[in-house]
Amino acid sequence: MTQSTNLQTDFQAILHNLEAARGQSIFLTTTQLLVWASKIFERAGLSSQDAMIMARTCVYPERDGALSHGLFRLPNYLQTLVAGNVNINAQPTVVQETPSLLVVDAQNGLAQPALQTVYEQLVQKTRETGLCVVLLRRAFHIAALWMDVEPLARQGFVALTCVNASSCVAPAPGTSAVYGTNPMAFACPREGHEPLVFDQASSLRARGDVMLSARAGEEVPLGTGMNSEGELTQNPKEILKGGALLPFGGYKGASIAMMVEILAAALTGGQFSWEIDRWSQPTPDTASAGQFLLCIDPTVAGQTMFAQRIQDLAQKLLDSGQSRLPGDLRYTTRAKTESEGIKVDADLLLGWYEQTNTGVNTSG
């Protein structure tokens, strides 16, 4: 029996369990959820390889408790794929290469498969020269960024990445959106422990978290954003409908958002956030954003005890009273869900399955 047949058999079993659980929640393992999500992406037109890559972008954050970037994002991906906003047949191309640089045109396709095509080159160049920079343009990326850097830290590297997106964040001071949430993620190895990893937006709150609050009918903290009149509001729907998010720390967060705009848009040759015309598309999510990724090998710089020094730093932080380190909460949640399973709404998953089909628009 081939792997494809095994996955199909597993999917049918999962589908049967979901049907039996209509109207209630059910616990699935990470593997089961990956099989289910990859099948959904295949039905939306992706190849089996790309479908599994995209399944991980939704399932792993859900497993780790990062719900704003977990299964919550799957409908956005499906709507975008079906509408033809993203080129599902994209063939990412390396348009410029040096011993420590890869400039990649994602051809208006998905960012994660595009990065995967140059991953081995990235690792090889980092080991050979001590560092490598990937500049990715014309890519669609609304996933958690830590997934792009944590695997590199597990290989002993220090990694930093950032992306821009369609504008929804005002500068400081400012009353209209110029930047995207412009998140960045960082990871590095830590001797005897999981890597140190953080993933954060330049805005006070990630747009996905504001969307979750809007869906739940909850207010957001004052300072999260403003309405279309430029007035502070705690109503997430007013922020999302013609308003703007605000950067964390005022001008300090705005400066970081500007830096991300320069690294992920100007340097990659991609579009600035305000140049991405999200409203002319069939759905408000479209490609054309950019991503900057820097990977460094500490050993090439002679830092053979780097991971131990990071552990010394981490211990000092804990001794000083810091209750947990970046990434700890995700690792704790990951261990729990790997043991107990991931709680999902059966009706929600079945609804997404029923909405997908193989007749999608492949232009992008």
Side-chain angles (χ1 to χ4, degrees):
M1 183 180 287
T2 66
Q3 182 180 12
S4 176
T5 305
N6 278 326
L7 289 176
Q8 179 65 22
T9 302
D10 291 343
F11 178 80
Q12 292 301 325
I14 295 166
L15 186 59
H16 175 76
N17 290 339
L18 289 171
E19 291 281 5
R22 279 191 180 275
Q24 56 188 313
S25 296
I26 185 175
F27 283 90
L28 297 178
T29 66
T30 300
T31 299
Q32 288 175 323
L33 205 49
L34 282 172
V35 169
W36 177 86
S38 65
K39 184 65 174 181
I40 299 301
F41 277 114
E42 282 191 59
R43 285 168 62 88
L46 294 185
S47 67
S48 58
Q49 180 178 346
D50 286 356
M52 181 55 74
I53 292 173
M54 298 312 298
R56 295 188 191 107
T57 70
C58 295
V59 173
Y60 285 170
E62 190 79 15
R63 173 201 64 188
D64 288 4
L67 302 185
S68 64
H69 286 77
L71 294 177
F72 172 72
R73 295 284 179 173
L74 196 143
N76 296 81
Y77 279 117
L78 296 181
Q79 291 168 14
T80 302
L81 291 171
V82 172
N85 292 3
V86 172
N87 181 7
I88 63 173
N89 296 317
Q91 297 294 321
T93 305
V94 176
V95 296
Q96 184 75 27
E97 181 177 356
T98 74
S100 57
L101 175 71
L102 291 164
V103 181
V104 184
D105 188 336
Q107 304 290 335
N108 224 43
L110 296 161
Q112 292 81 6
L115 283 176
Q116 191 62 41
T117 62
V118 297
Y119 185 82
E120 293 303 323
Q121 288 175 274
L122 166 66
V123 171
Q124 181 180 354
K125 287 177 180 293
T126 302
R127 294 204 186 282
E128 290 176 351
T129 70
L131 64 86
C132 182
V133 173
V134 175
L135 302 177
L136 180 67
R137 63 173 176 251
R138 294 209 297 159
F140 179 78
H141 198 314
I142 59 170
L145 272 182
W146 60 262
M147 288 185 293
D148 297 341
V149 292
E150 183 182 312
L152 294 169
R154 293 188 180 280
Q155 295 203 48
F157 300 141
V158 177
L160 172 71
T161 190
C162 58
V163 298
N164 75 318
S166 52
S167 58
C168 60
V169 178
T175 57
S176 62
V178 175
Y179 304 124
T181 54
N182 290 14
M184 65 171 62
F186 173 85
C188 73
R190 175 186 171 198
E191 187 69 32
H193 297 270
E194 299 280 14
L196 291 179
V197 182
F198 74 76
D199 180 351
Q200 64 186 50
S202 299
S203 53
L204 182 65
R205 297 191 79 186
R207 187 169 182 270
D209 289 327
V210 177
M211 293 168 69
L212 284 176
S213 294
R215 188 171 70 173
E218 300 170 347
E219 289 189 334
V220 294
L222 193 64
T224 298
M226 60 183 72
N227 60 24
S228 59
E229 302 299 320
E231 303 166 334
L232 291 177
T233 179
Q234 291 183 271
N235 186 333
K237 293 181 179 179
E238 291 182 357
I239 296 171
L240 295 169
K241 189 175 182 180
L245 294 168
L246 293 174
F248 73 86
Y251 68 87
K252 294 183 180 180
S255 295
I256 291 176
M258 181 179 66
M259 178 191 72
V260 172
E261 203 72 41
I262 293 168
L263 293 175
L267 192 60
T268 65
Q271 289 185 298
F272 286 116
S273 293
W274 74 87
E275 294 176 324
I276 301 174
D277 187 6
R278 66 197 303 249
W279 306 117
S280 67
Q281 302 294 327
T283 67
D285 290 311
T286 185
S288 297
Q291 180 169 4
F292 168 91
L293 192 156
L294 168 65
C295 188
I296 303 171
D297 185 349
T299 62
V300 177
Q303 302 300 323
T304 57
M305 298 295 292
F306 179 80
Q308 181 57 55
R309 296 198 69 201
I310 298 304
Q311 167 55 16
D312 293 343
L313 169 62
Q315 190 60 54
K316 187 67 174 179
L317 293 172
L318 294 171
D319 291 344
S320 74
Q322 186 169 333
S323 59
R324 59 182 172 87
L325 298 171
D328 281 355
L329 182 59
R330 284 194 305 100
Y331 295 137
T332 299
T333 305
R334 182 182 302 179
K336 181 179 180 182
T337 53
E338 291 291 10
S339 172
E340 301 176 0
I342 302 171
K343 187 177 181 180
V344 295
D345 185 310
D347 288 347
L348 197 60
L349 267 61
L350 287 169
W352 292 336
Y353 172 73
E354 291 160 359
Q355 290 170 18
T356 55
N357 57 65
T358 56
V360 299
N361 186 344
T362 60
S363 63

